[in-house]
Amino acid sequence: MKSRTKAVVIGGGIAGCSTLYHLTQEGWTDVVLVERNELTSGTTWHSAAQVTNFGMNQTMVGLKTHSINLYKELAGDPEYPINYHHGDGGIRLANTEAQLQGYRHFTSMARGMDVEFEVIDAEECARRHPLISTDNLIGGLWDPMDGDIDPAQLCQALARRARKAGAEVYRNTPVTGLTQHKDDTWTVHTEHGDIDCDVVVNAGGYRVNEVGAMMGVHHPVASMEHQYFLTEEIPAIKEAGHRMPLLRCPISDYYCRQEKNGLLVGFYEQDCKTWGMDGIDPNFVNALCPDDLDRVTDVLEGAFERMPALMETGIHTVVNGPITYTIDGAPLVGPIPGKRNAFCIIGLRAGLGEGGGHGWLLAQQIVHGEACYDTWCIDPRRFTGHTNVELTALKAIEDYQNEFRFHFPHEHRPAGRPAKTTPLTPILAAEGAEFTVVNGWERVDYIKPAPDFHHTRDFHFDATFDVVAAEVRNVQENVGLCEVNGFNRFEITGADRHQFLDRMFCGNVTKREGRVGLGYLLNDHGMVKGEATIANLPASDRGPERAWYGSAAASEYHDMDWLTAHIAADEDVQIKSLTNDQTILVLAGPKSRDVLQAVSRADWSKEAFPWLSVRECFIGFAPATVMGVSFSGELAYEIHIPNASLYAAYLALREAGKAHGLQLFGARAVDAMRMEKGFMHWKADLITEFTPLETGLDRFVKLDKGDFIGKAALVAQSAAGLRKKLVTLKINATHAPAYGGASLMQDDKVVGTITSGDWGHRVGMNLAYAFVDPALSEVGSEIQLDHLGELVSVQVIAPSPYDPTFALMRS
């Protein structure tokens, strides 16, 4: 066994085998996989092994397409062919128009990844799958590439190719410990000796947290028992003359696919069961849980109604085995938060179907620092400290119960809430707040006009349209108050903090005390990594001279890892997180200065406190740090308050606001207003697939400054020309906003992709941002949007249609 290698992958299921193979494809051939038993002896061996192209976003569709193409290649390898039923087709059923709206959107989104889905009616569903009934059915989504694969053969094929490229696989080699050294390299301790390596990868399947504990981390992954059975032979299948399409049914929570001349039928019962919560038997290898068909009786009845042939056949085999879920159902693939040179590929509940793509994206991140797609939707750092075992289990149960039900816009399911709150949460609830969730935080979405008011779960504008419009109107005419909790806030101190920040940002970063600036961070490839404000605070009784770094609520772990990884050994820089200690109250509108002046002894005139200023003060008697910044486009102030004083500051502002028409507003109003101002959201409009020049951030890029991270790559990209350009669009439709991922078309070709959209209430336009071909980025360009199944005309308009000179923010 080797004693030194570049990377050690722990786990021999689909996750580990795919990662090992793809590392060799990316140029790392001196790599090792260690497996405690035999390859595929965990969840992989009993997988139903369905291979669909369906995904909830373009990254997921892209990685699944890679899986399909790879599996087709492996299946056709004459030296080691594998069983892959490719292109049987698959149907996701629907019994509501809202579900079909979602399928139409996903069809538009997939088209941008060169994947063609089809929305079909109930009769066509039955024609393509003659075993199903059309009762309580209105249609479905057809995936022509759907199929299934032999899991053991797949993993052996990947391992075989990895070995041929130079990798080594050590079976029956349990890992007993992990040690990280001062230079961030690792030693993997096994029962057969130690292996020193640069990088370690946790691909531990349902033993993920046994491996995690060895490096002092906990991953938000829980296992669920999952049952399926194989039927006896069904004559109609044998007589059909073709393989039956796969079926996924959100109506009755089951799926099925052909297995020989019978069916494999799996269940996502509501009376589901977690597994391994109190530890896993070391001898649980190639093993199953006890059968428990009584638990799936209700789901089975629905399956009988949909497929009457099931009532006329026997059960041949029952399989009940553990599968892993994360806290939001999507895998964790990427860097492990708080660790260097440590990665994971875990929580792959659909591992066989997606695993080829997951290993591909992870190998790119390990070798090159970034993948070809923005991988935030599967990044392990998208969750922070609230993801304990109990919360993870509750969310895993909820995701299991809703396996085939996608999330509708603005849908936040109830399990595990409220995970994070502030002293104002119950106060705002009493005011009628409807809450959205941001990284676990309960944040006001809008204020309900009546206690029994509820929004509609579909893709169209609904009754909340007028509610949000009223909130925006009051901000525009008077003054509004909004709590922004969970906003990421780091305090950066040390004599070298300015030179450090100057190196991190692609533009100039203000060094002046009492001033605030906005900037962008790039990765080593010159692509947009992050967005942050920098506020410079003088020394006071609250701390030394320091810079406050502010960024999106979900970016806490992501940004901390990126910043700390780039502090030079000889730099005097310290970074401390204040994210969970402070909360922002946003005061916005033309009368916001009057309210602020009424609660603070400081001078808040335009001359004394101009736009982009910062100062420490008191709101009433609550200590506060106030910044003159705006995400709404109106005169506005961010008031940062320690949580212990938050309620006191809130009461003072509410009381002072009575004379000026102050009303509460929420996140939906904020989103609508930021669209009108050309302000972007991190990981919606700001992604690692594009440079700041392609993203329209030219004014924040200073190529003539000293060196900064990503500068050389950005210069090279600039010389090569723009590949896409972010533009603002006016959508010629009033029934629904544009949704991220939807495709823009011209002459039946995809020419762009929507990143985000919303109605601009102050300008009276349906607005969207999109990356489009540069030739179509000029103002006035006409394009068509594949909008929930209809082609709708759109026009490129100038950015910031509301107050384009930014006069109101400076007033």
Side-chain angles (χ1 to χ4, degrees), residues 492-501 503 545 567-575:
I492 304 178
T493 56
D496 298 322
R497 65 189 183 280
H498 291 306
Q499 73 174 35
F500 166 71
L501 290 169
R503 192 173 71 251
E545 292 181 346
I567 300 174
D570 61 349
E571 279 185 315
D572 177 18
V573 175
Q574 299 82 42
I575 304 177

Side-chain angles (χ1 to χ4, degrees), residues 449-472:
D452 58 351
F453 179 89
H454 296 287
H455 63 261
T456 305
R457 286 185 182 175
D458 62 20
F459 285 77
H460 289 177
F461 290 123
D462 66 0
T464 59
F465 184 92
D466 292 336
V467 174
V468 174
E471 291 182 7
V472 171

Side-chain angles (χ1 to χ4, degrees), residues 233-253:
E233 188 173 284
I234 297 175
I237 293 178
K238 187 174 182 180
E239 297 163 4
H242 62 83
R243 286 184 61 81
M244 289 289 151
L246 288 81
L247 198 70
R248 297 172 182 85
C249 182
I251 307 165
S252 301
D253 299 302

